[in-house]
């Protein structure tokens, strides 16, 4: 298993932070991989990461360390994902886009425009016998709904999965791009459609950029496909700090819910063997399923403020857990392509046809729930690799053992209950015998009747002689 690359980037202090605390900061650099952090109790905590980018770091440094390996992997048919995470105003969007994807300042260019240039530089260096195609999709997750930023009429895109494509967005616009200029213009159009907060400096939606790179040999027809997914997560901000209300408060709740789901998935993946990874708890984690422990190389860029006024938020960001991801190449022979397409289309067609019939009689939420249950139950399960089959078998084994343990516990509880009932019956029987003995020595009609009643109740086979 390959560890996800986890980096931290501290932005320079803002003017408002300088007014509050001057040039004071809550971190002390040790080296390029570790630093000490002073928490709210003025205690020093040491953190170590794959790389730490301090306040004076340049955009190109982040690109060279974080993105270059992802691009090389994608060209070699290994999916790559970069996730920018952190509180509102911590520098995520600047790290991703720079001052703007079309901005001419080369030193300020963010990951997004640099990756676009990098993809085409790699592809243009390939031999002439290779034919390549690049497609771009761009969506945002707003209030837990996925909408297409290239076609705003598609405001509720569904997430699907099959063995050929893995996780994909059904019906999302894919724009073929042939050069960097064309790609950046498309990205600029999509960014303009993105929902933006009141302060115009931070997004209130998660933004997902998907580059699909397909290569095909002109000689033997072999093809390979790699994806690069960039995710600019919405900032998490406590409602009591922002004073948000109304629709803004609802947006904040939705953002924090999806980020919480992301944290739960990461915690489940890092906890070792668990019965269930809650990828389906949010649209965000479902889209990132391939990245979080799936078929992808993943890099996490944690963006933080070094100011003492943001200690709690920065500390929460820094405690993002490490996770594992096992990349594999997405390659196929020409003779296998048609079979795979037919298999995928057949599986998708059958499941979609069944669900469409159900939609005619049920509401959308019920059908989505049924789709999820069928997939979890394995009815729509279609393993993509030996690892998935082994994982599925292990999961079933763990669930079976868990069910057996529960059955044993239930039997123990039932046994304890029966023992208590048996003890009570023995006590009542002893009382009945005592009453019978007293009746034989003391002529007490009521006592004799009571003893006879108890014996008839607990000893139905006892032939008690009638009273004379």
């Amino acid at each position: 298993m390959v560890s996800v690359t986890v980096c931290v980037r501290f932005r320079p202090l803002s003017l408002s932070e300088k007014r509050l605390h001057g040039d004071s900061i809550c971190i002390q650099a040790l080296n390029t991989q570790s630093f000490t952090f002073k928490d709210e109790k003025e205690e020093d905590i040491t953190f170590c990461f794959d790389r730490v980018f301090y306040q004076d770091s340049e955009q190109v440094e982040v690109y060279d360390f974080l993105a270059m390996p992802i691009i090389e992997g994608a060209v070699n048919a290994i999916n790559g994902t970069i996730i920018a995470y952190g509180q509102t105003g911590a520098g995520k969007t600047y790290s991703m886009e720079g001052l703007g994807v079309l901005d001419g300042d080369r030193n300020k260019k963010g990951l997004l425009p640099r990756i676009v240039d990098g993809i085409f530089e790699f592809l243009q260096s390939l031999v002439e016998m290779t034919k390549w195609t690049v497609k771009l999709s761009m969506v945002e997750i707003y209030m837990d709904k996925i909408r297409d930023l290239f076609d705003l009429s598609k405001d509720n895109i569904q997430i699907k999965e099959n063995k050929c494509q893995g996780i994909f967005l059904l019906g999302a616009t894919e724009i073929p791009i042939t050069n960097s200029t064309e790609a950046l213009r498309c990205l600029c159009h999509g960014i303009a459609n993105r929902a933006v907060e009141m302060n115009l400096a931070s997004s209130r939606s998660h933004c997902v950029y998907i580059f699909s790179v397909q290569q095909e040999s002109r000689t033997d027809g072999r093809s390979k496909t790699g994806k690069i997914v960039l995710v600019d997560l919405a900032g998490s901000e406590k409602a009591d700090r922002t004073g948000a209300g109304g629709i803004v408060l609802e947006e904040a709740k939705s953002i924090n819910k999806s980020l919480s789901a992301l944290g739960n998935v990461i915690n489940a993946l890092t906890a070792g063997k668990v019965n269930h990874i809650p990828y389906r708890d949010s649209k965000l984690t479902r889209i990132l399923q391939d990245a979080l422990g799936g078929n992808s190389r993943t890099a996490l860029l944690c963006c933080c403020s070094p100011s003492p006024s943001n200690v709690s938020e920065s500390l929460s960001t820094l405690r993002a857990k490490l996770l594992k991801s096992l990349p594999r190449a997405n390659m196929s022979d020409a003779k296998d392509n048609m079979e795979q397409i037919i298999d995928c289309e057949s599986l998708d067609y059958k499941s979609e046809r069944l669900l469409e019939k159900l939609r005619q009689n049920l509401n959308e939420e019920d059908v989505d729930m049924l789709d999820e249950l069928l997939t979890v139950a394995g009815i729509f399960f279609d393993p993509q690799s030996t690892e998935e089959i082994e994982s599925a078998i292990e999961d079933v084994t763990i669930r079976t053992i868990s069910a057996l343990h529960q059955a044993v516990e239930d039997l123990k509880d039932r046994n304890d209950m029966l023992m208590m009932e048996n003890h009570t019956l023995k006590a009542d029987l002893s009382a009945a015998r005592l009453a019978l003995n007293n009746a034989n020595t003391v002529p007490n009609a009521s006592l004799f009747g009571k003893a006879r009643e108890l014996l008839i109740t607990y000893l139905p086979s006892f032939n008690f002689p009638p009273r004379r």
Side-chain angles (χ1 to χ4, degrees):
M1 299 290 280
V2 180
S3 295
V4 170
T5 301
V6 182
C7 302
V8 176
R9 187 177 193 184
F10 292 98
R11 61 161 172 75
L13 291 169
S14 66
L15 292 177
S16 61
E17 289 170 339
K18 287 183 177 181
R19 282 196 297 268
L20 286 173
H21 300 283
D23 292 329
S24 176
I25 58 176
C26 59
I27 61 169
Q28 181 178 353
L30 299 178
N31 51 48
T32 58
Q33 293 182 309
S34 60
F35 59 90
T36 57
F37 183 90
K38 192 176 293 294
D39 65 12
E40 292 172 308
K41 297 179 180 179
E42 295 295 317
E43 296 178 354
D44 288 336
I45 305 172
T46 300
F47 286 97
C48 297
F49 293 91
D50 294 298
R51 181 67 182 269
V52 181
F53 300 100
Y54 295 103
Q55 299 94 304
D56 58 350
S57 62
E58 300 290 340
Q59 295 277 59
V60 67
E61 296 178 53
V62 180
Y63 170 76
D64 288 342
F65 185 85
L66 209 62
M68 282 288 286
I70 297 290
I71 297 174
E72 291 176 4
V75 173
N76 290 302
I78 296 176
N79 295 342
T81 302
I82 299 175
I83 303 172
Y85 172 74
Q87 77 174 102
T88 299
K92 301 183 301 299
T93 301
Y94 175 75
S95 295
M96 277 290 184
E97 301 174 11
L99 298 177
V101 292
L102 294 178
D103 186 78
D105 190 338
R106 187 167 184 80
N107 292 328
K108 303 293 184 182
K109 286 174 64 174
L111 286 173
L112 192 54
R114 291 178 187 274
I115 286 173
V116 168
D117 291 340
I119 289 174
F120 287 103
E121 286 175 6
F122 267 98
L123 292 176
Q124 289 166 3
S125 67
L126 298 176
V127 294
E128 294 182 358
M129 300 305 294
T130 301
K131 177 183 176 182
W132 52 263
T133 304
V134 180
K135 294 181 179 180
L136 170 63
S137 297
M138 185 175 172
V139 300
E140 73 170 352
I141 306 174
Y142 176 71
M143 300 289 279
D144 211 36
K145 283 190 175 183
I146 304 171
R147 60 184 180 186
D148 193 331
L149 290 176
F150 291 146
D151 184 353
L152 295 180
S153 65
K154 300 176 181 178
D155 59 357
N156 192 17
I157 294 175
Q158 301 300 307
I159 305 170
K160 298 297 179 182
E161 179 180 14
N162 62 35
K163 69 178 182 181
C164 296
Q165 297 170 272
I167 303 295
F168 66 98
L169 300 172
L170 186 65
T173 303
E174 281 189 309
I175 299 179
I177 50 178
T178 57
N179 56 62
S180 297
T181 302
E182 187 179 340
L184 292 177
R185 285 175 180 168
C186 292
L187 288 169
C188 190
H189 172 69
I191 291 170
N193 287 330
R194 191 179 177 191
V196 177
E197 277 181 328
M198 292 180 297
N199 60 15
L200 299 178
S202 181
S203 166
R204 57 186 180 182
S205 64
H206 308 302
C207 191
V208 183
Y209 312 86
I210 304 171
F211 296 88
S212 177
V213 182
Q214 184 175 12
Q215 302 171 62
E216 183 179 343
S217 172
R218 298 181 188 272
T219 56
D220 58 11
R222 289 176 62 86
S223 66
K224 55 184 180 180
T225 302
K227 283 194 304 185
I228 298 178
V229 181
L230 283 78
V231 185
D232 182 4
L233 293 176
S236 60
E237 190 77 2
K238 295 179 181 179
D240 57 354
R241 292 190 61 178
T242 61
I247 185 63
V248 178
L249 180 59
E250 292 303 314
E251 288 168 348
K253 289 180 180 178
S254 178
I255 290 168
N256 289 332
K257 180 180 178 182
S258 60
L259 292 177
S260 177
L262 177 61
N264 291 337
V265 167
I266 292 175
N267 289 335
L269 288 166
T270 56
K273 294 182 178 179
V274 293
N275 293 345
H276 174 62
I277 307 297
Y279 289 118
R280 292 173 177 266
D281 282 1
S282 75
K283 299 290 178 64
L284 172 64
T285 51
R286 182 67 170 142
I287 288 178
L288 296 180
Q289 182 171 339
D290 281 346
L292 302 174
N295 178 34
S296 182
R297 284 177 176 164
T298 304
L300 182 63
L301 179 62
C302 302
C303 298
C304 299
S305 162
S307 172
S309 59
N310 291 302
V311 165
S312 62
E313 297 285 357
S314 296
L315 189 60
S316 176
T317 300
L318 293 170
R319 282 175 171 162
K321 302 280 187 175
L322 294 183
L323 51 151
K324 300 291 183 180
S325 180
L326 181 63
R328 61 178 176 83
N330 303 308
M331 304 179 65
S332 63
D333 294 325
K335 62 182 180 181
D336 296 330
N337 285 344
M338 188 57 66
E339 274 184 30
Q340 291 182 354
I341 292 171
I342 292 173
D343 288 344
C344 290
E345 288 180 348
S346 176
L347 177 65
D348 287 342
Y349 176 74
K350 290 177 181 178
S351 60
E352 283 301 318
R353 188 178 178 186
L354 173 60
L355 294 172
E356 189 58 39
K357 287 183 178 179
L358 292 172
R359 286 189 181 96
Q360 296 174 6
N361 299 305
L362 299 173
N363 61 48
E364 190 70 25
E365 291 183 358
D366 291 336
V367 176
D368 289 342
M369 184 180 295
L370 181 60
D371 184 11
E372 179 178 340
L373 291 172
L374 290 172
T375 305
V376 172
I379 297 175
F380 286 171
F381 175 67
D382 193 15
Q384 302 178 34
S385 64
T386 304
E387 289 82 3
E388 285 196 14
I389 295 173
E390 292 175 351
S391 177
I393 293 173
E394 182 180 8
D395 185 58
V396 171
T397 302
I398 292 173
R399 290 186 185 185
T400 303
I401 293 173
S402 178
L404 288 173
H405 279 307
Q406 185 60 48
V408 170
E409 292 298 320
D410 291 342
L411 286 173
K412 286 181 179 179
D413 292 341
R414 180 61 179 164
N415 182 61
D416 292 340
M417 187 181 300
L418 289 173
M419 290 182 66
M420 291 179 62
E421 291 180 356
N422 184 49
H423 179 74
T424 302
L425 289 173
K426 284 182 178 180
D428 289 343
L429 183 58
S430 297
R433 285 175 175 167
L434 179 61
L436 181 61
N437 290 335
N438 291 337
N440 289 334
T441 56
V442 180
N444 189 320
S446 62
L447 185 61
F448 183 82
K450 179 63 176 178
R452 185 173 184 275
E453 180 182 340
L454 287 171
L455 286 173
I456 290 173
T457 301
Y458 294 108
L459 298 174
S461 59
F462 182 78
N463 295 321
F464 195 81
R467 183 180 178 184
R468 296 180 180 177

